[in-house]
Amino acid sequence: MKKKILGFIVALLISICSMPAFALSVDEAKQNEDQGVFIGETKKGTPLGELNEPTSGFSSTGFSNTGSSSELERGLLNKDTFGDQRSLAEKANLLKDKDKAKEPAAKKPKVFLKVEPGDGLVRLNWDVKGLQAKPGDAPVKFTLFYGLEPGRYEKKIEIGSVREYTLRGLINNYIYYVKVQGTVQLRQESEDAEEKPAEQVIFSNEIKATPLPAGEQGSQLEKSFARKVSTFQDNLEADPFKRELKQFGYDFFENSLATLTMSDNLPVGGDYIIGPGDSLRIDLWGTLQGKYDVVVDRNGEITLPKVGTVKVWGINYAQAKEVINKAVSRYFKGYELNVTLGKLRTIQVYVVGEVVSPGTYSVSSLATVINALSQAGGPSKNGSLRTVRLLRGGKLIQEVDLYDMLLGGDRSKDLRLENGDTLLVPVIGPVAAVAGEIKRPGIYELLGKTSLSQVLQFAGGITAAGDTARVQVERFEGNHARVVQDYEAKPGQQGLDLNSIHMHDQDMIKVFPVFKALRRVVTLKGNVVRPGEYQYREGMRITDLIPSFAAVLPDSYMESIEILRVVPPDFHKETSSINLRLALQGEEKENILLLEQDSIKVFPRSEMEEKPVVAINGQVLNPGTYDYYPRMTVRDLVTAAGSPKRSAHLENAELTRVRVEGGRAQVKRKIVNLKFALADDPEHNLVLEADDVLSVRSIPEWLDTDDRFVTLKGEFRFPGIYSIAKGEKLDSVIKRAGGFTNEAYLKGAKFTRKSVQESQQKRMEEVISRSEQDIVKKQGELASLAASKEELEATKASLEGLQKNLEQLKLKRAEGRVVVHLVALNELPQTPYNLEMSGGDVLEVPPVPSVVNVMGQVYNPTTFVHLPGNTVSAYLRQAGGPNHDAEEDDMYIIKADGSVDSRQQSRFGIRWNEDDKSWSFGSFMSKPMNPGDTLVVPQKLERTAWLRDIKDITTIISQIALTAGTVFIGLK
């Protein structure tokens, strides 16, 4: 590979002329990012379209040949398929050809993705449409990409061949962007009749999903009403049947602790049996006064002063007052007495079997079976809710069916416990699941002989959207097979006899939805006042749906409306059109009969007709294209454009009109006096036609404010801002400034122009963008092209240095410098540098500098005092000479006027001396340096084949830097 010449020509011309050869436009650079980019750990900024980019050859169908390793992994490394020896321009052209070769002739298959947000999760399911797979082809392998920015995916998950997935661990209320990529291995026949594997990559659309807390998601009923309705005109797809079910009733015990805390504060009924440990409060008033808090002792007695012991064990609370009053009355008369219960005793019960936390529990004496179960965490999901047993003294006291309470609120069997009672929760019995269009889908436990009707009652019954004419049961038959049984209503039968269908263990009842497409409907769309679905009636016509012109929006296209119809028996679509205007005017032929499921669309006129426009350009406030309306005049168009500028030549505007005559377009022009037109003179305020163009010219020799002034800085007798006339030259402005001072250094003059700066800045931005892409691409090639670990590290550091330099250059602005060689004022008119001045031009003439600069790969980059006659060699010696990284053959001098003199120009010992206008002889090293010159010694980039390729990018960055008025030495 030939060595690149680094900066040997004028920096400005390099930056302007050479950039199109290696720079792609921004639009071309983004072509590979249409599918989004993966910015995860594997590879930063890899376009998804390149993840499966082939590494060799292309087939006629757009499939890439695959090798033994994964194309996805190779794509992540982003290998350069065109080798290292091609220029960037050649690579850009080959990339375009490659994209064309990959375009399939037929419609591309696509992944259709659906999302359903949940609490901290998103459920995904998808399907592939349009994939022409052959028997024996491997299943499609799917990869999931998602992130928090559209088109930029931070995470990816290899899903495999399944077509549903649940993303978990997401943050609620964050917007996630999701895309699915499918990769399928297909078999293709090659020219030698052998089948070779080929790979095709397909994508879904990007879909937004926002996980929400359970309280914000809405119920299934709310979601069903929010769901968009469909007709036969829509792409109807069956929704996936949801089989995710929970066991019914077990969540009741989750709040058991709060329930137990409340039980001590509950009121006590009269049937409460008093026993040891209970506290009684006895109040006496009248002839005998006193308040006594007594506790029933282990003998079941309480002790009262002056009365003695009273036995209360075994009596109920209602009897306690009578017993105590009888004991007191034996000693006292004329008093009143009241007895209340204080702190209740605790009892010990045993909870065993299939519970969350089996063990011994101390509970309140008011506790019931449900209270004790709650304290133990409730039955586990392997425990029965239907046959909870209460044992007392080894005997079965009660079998409790918790469904009585959970479904009907019946607690008649929820007995109060006694000390030493045992609760046994056996293993769960037979179960049946109910899913689909049911009010409370779930898994229910069966008790005894249970019919399908009873299970549906457990689940709340079938919803209004459920199909009652067909119920399906999945069943295990004889412990050796799983079968499906459909129960369908017979012709003429209103519904199914579900009481006669008996359930088996682990039956799955599936209630399907009715067909989701609306029936007895026609749809009105488009440019109408009330779009939507309307009831279809037999004999309905267009005017029944659109009764008058008031039913359509303004500017509707009445000459043709579209009627899309589904035709039985296969319900294929057909389209026709009618003239709505004639139909509303009573034309029987156009007012056609409608059929069920018809879709009628009224178009806006802008979609059906080319929009007529007129244009105005030149000296008006808002030149451009404007809508044309009938009877529009010249004055109307000028008014729409604001008004004429002060620079407008009102007496000489030109109206251009195109007329078709004899099958050819003829251009007609007419001069219009805008003064008269704005005064509504009919001779000049002409009525316009569509596509007319009005040109408002400028007053001759007029200059706008921005174009009237130039700036002279530095060594002029009177520096400052000067107005200019049209066509005024540089020497004229300098004369007005009094000419140059005696200290003026004409060789260091700096001339900048606004239009040049804008052009250079645009080129800079394009090249910086392209260079960044090249660096990212080179980073992706590191692992495969570096010959050793040391070379890999060195190259990586070099690319990082280039990236940092680009970041710095982004902050720079192009100078807009034009290289000029100034001479004495009396000689300037005879030179090509006596430029015609433009508004915004700046000429800066510095004083004579006394230094020269040496930069780059020398031992002491610094500034030296200029000594007349000293050569490049002399100053290079003062800087210590080139170091071991220097590229001596590519040294160059940036002169004070901005021009560049490189060693390559003097390789034959002969060079043109612009200062003396003559040829000179001698080597580059013997060339004398002028005040203000800068000697640049660039870095050597020829140590490895890899770095030689990077030199292309380095050269480009150097050119950008010169355009911005800085010096780029090399890699750091």
Side-chain angles (χ1 to χ4, degrees):
M1 177 179 174
K2 294 182 179 180
K3 293 190 295 183
K4 309 293 182 184
I5 299 174
L6 187 62
F8 66 90
I9 196 168
V10 178
L12 177 66
L13 297 178
I14 291 177
S15 65
I16 296 176
C17 300
S18 63
M19 288 181 187
F22 53 75
L24 290 176
S25 69
V26 175
D27 291 337
E28 290 171 322
K30 291 183 178 179
Q31 282 180 355
N32 286 335
E33 297 187 12
D34 291 340
Q35 300 295 350
V37 296
F38 173 57
I39 59 172
E41 296 180 358
T42 308
K43 176 71 174 66
K44 297 288 184 183
T46 303
L48 295 192
E50 294 182 3
L51 288 180
N52 296 79
E53 192 170 284
T55 56
S56 63
F58 308 98
S59 67
S60 60
T61 58
F63 303 145
S64 60
N65 294 331
T66 60
S68 58
S69 61
S70 167
E71 288 287 14
L72 182 60
E73 297 302 324
R74 289 204 296 272
L76 289 172
L77 292 176
N78 204 6
K79 292 184 180 178
D80 183 1
T81 61
F82 309 112
D84 296 331
Q85 304 304 316
R86 296 190 176 102
S87 69
L88 292 175
E90 292 172 328
K91 294 180 182 180
N93 291 332
L94 285 171
L95 278 171
K96 293 179 181 178
D97 294 338
K98 173 184 175 183
D99 288 339
K100 291 180 180 179
K102 290 174 67 177
E103 291 178 0
K107 186 177 179 180
K108 291 183 179 179
K110 194 171 185 180
V111 179
F112 287 86
L113 174 63
K114 294 181 181 179
V115 301
E116 181 183 351
D119 189 356
L121 54 84
V122 172
R123 297 181 181 89
L124 311 169
N125 64 82
W126 56 87
D127 197 9
V128 179
K129 302 291 185 182
L131 180 63
Q132 302 296 326
K134 298 179 181 178
D137 285 340
V140 183
K141 301 292 185 182
F142 296 101
T143 304
L144 175 65
F145 296 90
Y146 67 99
L148 294 172
E149 298 180 49
R152 296 173 63 82
Y153 309 114
E154 302 162 359
K155 304 279 183 71
K156 70 165 187 158
I157 303 173
E158 301 290 347
I159 303 296
S161 58
V162 298
R163 303 199 176 192
E164 59 183 5
Y165 190 79
T166 300
L167 272 177
R168 302 183 185 275
L170 306 181
I171 303 175
N172 283 333
N173 298 309
Y174 275 50
I175 299 176
Y176 289 87
Y177 296 86
V178 186
K179 181 183 283 262
V180 171
Q181 171 188 289
T183 306
V184 58
Q185 301 287 340
L186 304 177
R187 292 181 297 173
Q188 284 188 293
E189 292 185 2
S190 60
E191 295 179 357
D192 53 3
E194 292 184 2
E195 287 191 345
K196 294 184 177 180
E199 187 174 89
Q200 187 175 16
V201 180
I202 51 181
F203 292 95
S204 72
N205 288 334
E206 180 181 84
I207 293 186
K208 292 192 297 185
T210 305
L212 294 172
E216 299 180 21
Q217 291 178 33
S219 66
Q220 292 298 325
L221 194 59
E222 292 169 335
K223 291 178 182 179
S224 68
F225 279 100
R227 195 174 297 123
K228 180 182 178 296
V229 297
S230 303
T231 69
F232 279 73
Q233 301 283 358
D234 299 310
N235 293 323
L236 299 173
E237 292 184 4
D239 294 327
F241 193 85
K242 296 180 180 179
R243 302 176 64 99
E244 299 85 4
L245 302 173
K246 289 185 176 182
Q247 289 178 251
F248 171 75
Y250 292 88
D251 54 356
F252 170 81
F253 297 95
E254 291 179 359
N255 298 319
S256 59
L257 184 58
T259 304
L260 290 173
T261 302
M262 294 173 57
S263 64
D264 281 339
N265 300 321
L266 295 176
V268 178
D271 60 345
Y272 176 75
I273 304 300
I274 298 175
D278 285 335
S279 174
L280 299 177
R281 180 185 179 91
I282 302 172
D283 295 311
L284 296 167
W285 65 93
T287 58
L288 179 64
Q289 295 186 355
K291 294 182 179 179
Y292 305 99
D293 291 317
V294 294
V295 178
V296 181
D297 60 20
R298 294 185 178 181
N299 296 323
E301 298 173 339
I302 59 173
T303 302
L304 294 175
K306 300 180 183 180
V307 175
T309 61
V310 181
K311 191 173 184 65
V312 293
W313 190 357
I315 65 174
N316 59 39
Y317 175 52
Q319 297 169 334
K321 180 177 180 181
E322 181 182 350
V323 171
I324 296 173
N325 185 47
K326 185 177 180 179
V328 174
S329 64
R330 288 200 294 263
Y331 302 97
F332 300 98
K333 304 292 183 184
Y335 66 88
E336 296 291 335
L337 177 145
N338 185 51
V339 178
T340 58
L341 274 170
K343 184 177 181 182
L344 303 180
R345 68 183 184 276
T346 59
I347 60 175
Q348 193 174 58
V349 296
Y350 303 91
V351 185
V352 296
E354 298 297 326
V355 291
V356 174
S357 300
T360 304
Y361 290 90
S362 294
V363 297
S364 166
S365 55
L366 291 176
T368 64
V369 171
I370 292 177
N371 298 141
L373 283 176
S374 298
Q375 190 162 340
S380 69
K381 290 195 174 182
N382 197 41
S384 173
L385 297 182
R386 308 295 304 272
T387 56
V388 179
R389 298 172 185 170
L390 172 60
L391 304 174
R392 184 174 297 157
K395 296 181 180 179
L396 178 64
I397 301 300
Q398 183 70 57
E399 188 171 83
V400 181
D401 183 357
L402 295 179
Y403 274 28
D404 292 342
M405 181 196 71
L406 296 174
L407 294 174
D410 181 6
R411 292 188 57 194
S412 59
K413 296 183 179 179
D414 185 23
L415 301 182
R416 187 171 293 164
L417 300 176
E418 295 184 8
N419 191 50
D421 281 354
T422 299
L423 291 178
L424 172 64
V425 178
V427 174
I428 192 171
V431 295
V434 190
E437 289 299 326
I438 203 76
K439 293 181 179 177
R440 189 169 51 226
I443 302 171
Y444 296 87
E445 185 179 355
L446 308 179
L447 182 63
K449 194 173 183 180
T450 308
S451 68
L452 193 151
S453 176
Q454 290 175 298
V455 178
L456 292 180
Q457 288 177 4
F458 292 163
I462 298 175
T463 67
D467 186 359
T468 57
R470 179 191 173 212
V471 174
Q472 186 179 94
V473 177
E474 292 180 7
R475 174 170 294 168
F476 288 96
E477 192 174 72
N479 286 83
H480 63 81
R482 190 169 191 167
V483 298
V484 170
Q485 294 184 2
D486 282 337
Y487 299 95
E488 298 180 300
K490 298 177 181 178
Q493 185 179 353
Q494 293 294 327
L496 293 171
D497 182 13
L498 302 180
N499 291 317
S500 61
I501 304 171
H502 298 292
M503 293 288 95
H504 296 181
D505 188 16
Q506 295 202 28
D507 277 357
M508 171 79 159
I509 305 168
K510 299 163 73 173
V511 180
F512 297 100
V514 297
F515 190 47
K516 63 181 179 181
L518 290 176
R519 303 303 300 264
R520 298 192 296 275
V521 66
V522 290
T523 306
L524 182 60
K525 299 180 179 179
N527 212 47
V528 294
V529 175
R530 294 184 179 87
E533 293 78 25
Y534 289 81
Q535 180 185 351
Y536 170 76
R537 297 181 179 87
E538 197 70 31
M540 194 175 190
R541 292 183 178 271
I542 288 290
T543 53
D544 294 323
L545 195 61
I546 308 175
S548 67
F549 288 97
V552 297
L553 294 176
D555 208 25
S556 295
Y557 189 71
M558 308 295 289
E559 285 69 27
S560 180
I561 66 172
E562 180 187 71
I563 300 164
L564 191 62
R565 177 167 292 171
V566 289
V567 181
D570 58 348
F571 295 102
H572 66 275
K573 293 182 181 180
E574 293 182 358
T575 184
S576 62
S577 60
I578 60 108
N579 189 312
L580 181 59
R581 187 184 304 277
L582 295 179
L584 292 175
Q585 291 174 353
E587 181 69 41
E588 184 75 19
K589 180 181 177 182
E590 301 295 334
N591 190 21
I592 65 172
L593 278 171
L594 296 179
L595 298 179
E596 182 186 357
Q597 301 294 334
D598 278 357
S599 175
I600 297 89
K601 185 173 184 180
V602 179
F603 297 94
R605 186 169 294 278
S606 59
E607 291 184 12
M608 301 298 289
E609 289 183 343
E610 182 181 3
K611 193 173 186 178
V613 295
V614 290
I616 184 170
N617 56 52
Q619 301 303 305
V620 292
L621 289 179
N622 301 301
T625 301
Y626 293 87
D627 293 342
Y628 168 77
Y629 301 102
R631 298 182 296 281
M632 189 177 188
T633 65
V634 169
R635 184 172 69 173
D636 297 333
L637 179 56
V638 175
T639 302
S643 62
K645 293 183 178 179
R646 289 190 299 274
S647 59
H649 189 27
L650 299 180
E651 292 81 6
N652 193 23
E654 182 179 79
L655 181 65
T656 303
R657 178 170 294 167
V658 178
R659 289 254 179 93
V660 178
E661 298 176 357
R664 300 183 61 184
Q666 301 290 333
V667 178
K668 307 289 184 181
R669 297 180 180 87
K670 183 175 178 61
I671 301 301
V672 176
N673 189 315
L674 289 186
K675 283 186 177 179
F676 297 148
L678 294 175
D680 200 20
D681 183 340
E683 184 178 347
H684 294 274
N685 189 25
L686 304 176
V687 177
L688 299 178
E689 296 181 5
D691 301 319
D692 280 358
V693 178
L694 180 64
S695 300
V696 183
R697 299 188 178 95
S698 175
I699 296 174
E701 308 300 325
W702 178 277
L703 289 176
D704 288 334
T705 303
D706 294 341
D707 297 329
R708 295 177 186 173
F709 300 96
V710 297
T711 303
L712 301 184
K713 297 180 179 180
E715 297 302 317
F716 298 94
R717 290 180 61 83
F718 304 105
I721 298 175
Y722 289 85
S723 63
I724 57 172
K726 188 79 170 180
E728 187 171 359
K729 295 293 187 74
L730 176 61
D731 68 316
S732 172
V733 181
I734 295 176
K735 286 178 182 178
R736 291 162 55 197
F740 303 114
T741 68
N742 294 332
E743 298 297 323
Y745 185 53
L746 301 184
K747 291 182 179 180
K750 181 179 179 181
F751 184 89
T752 59
R753 176 160 285 176
K754 184 178 178 181
S755 61
V756 175
Q757 188 273 338
E758 292 172 351
S759 176
Q760 289 179 349
Q761 185 64 39
K762 182 179 178 181
R763 297 294 186 185
M764 276 181 60
E765 291 171 356
E766 290 177 355
V767 175
I768 287 174
S769 176
R770 177 59 185 169
S771 298
E772 284 183 320
Q773 294 177 33
D774 287 339
I775 290 173
V776 170
K777 186 175 182 180
K778 299 299 181 188
Q779 288 173 334
E781 298 170 358
L782 284 177
S784 59
L785 296 182
S788 63
K789 182 178 179 182
E790 292 75 15
E791 183 177 333
L792 177 65
E793 295 299 326
T795 307
K796 184 178 180 181
S798 299
L799 289 172
E800 289 175 353
L802 288 173
Q803 185 66 49
K804 290 179 181 178
N805 285 325
L806 279 178
E807 294 298 327
Q808 294 175 1
L809 287 175
K810 285 182 180 180
L811 304 177
K812 302 288 184 181
R813 307 296 297 176
E815 287 190 320
R817 184 169 184 174
V818 179
V819 176
V820 295
H821 298 290
L822 293 186
V823 294
L825 185 57
N826 60 339
E827 300 175 9
L828 186 58
Q830 287 76 43
T831 69
Y833 300 105
N834 190 27
L835 304 175
E836 182 177 321
M837 302 300 285
S838 298
D841 286 353
V842 178
L843 176 61
E844 182 177 1
V845 178
V848 178
S850 58
V851 296
V852 294
N853 304 299
V854 181
M855 303 175 62
Q857 302 302 315
V858 294
Y859 285 99
N860 183 28
T862 188
T863 301
F864 299 97
V865 175
H866 176 261
L867 299 176
N870 264 19
T871 63
V872 172
S873 177
Y875 288 112
L876 196 59
R877 283 197 305 273
Q878 291 183 52
N883 60 28
H884 65 282
D885 284 334
E887 183 63 271
E888 297 183 47
D889 291 341
D890 285 342
M891 290 189 296
Y892 57 94
I893 299 171
I894 303 176
K895 294 185 177 182
D897 62 4
S899 61
V900 176
D901 189 359
S902 76
R903 189 169 190 175
Q904 296 292 335
Q905 293 172 293
S906 304
R907 63 168 58 191
F908 299 110
I910 303 174
R911 65 182 181 276
W912 173 257
N913 191 323
E914 184 65 32
D915 299 331
D916 300 333
K917 305 296 181 182
S918 62
W919 292 96
S920 61
F921 299 90
S923 67
F924 177 79
M925 301 298 290
S926 64
K927 180 179 179 62
M929 293 185 67
N930 295 321
D933 287 354
T934 299
L935 175 63
V936 179
V937 183
Q939 181 178 353
K940 184 186 295 182
L941 294 176
E942 301 296 326
R943 290 172 292 179
T944 65
W946 173 251
L947 288 177
R948 284 198 299 272
D949 195 45
I950 296 179
K951 190 173 181 182
D952 289 337
I953 305 175
T954 308
T955 303
I956 295 170
I957 297 177
S958 299
Q959 294 165 359
I960 303 172
L962 287 173
T963 305
T966 60
V967 179
F968 175 72
I969 305 301
L971 304 175
K972 294 294 182 185

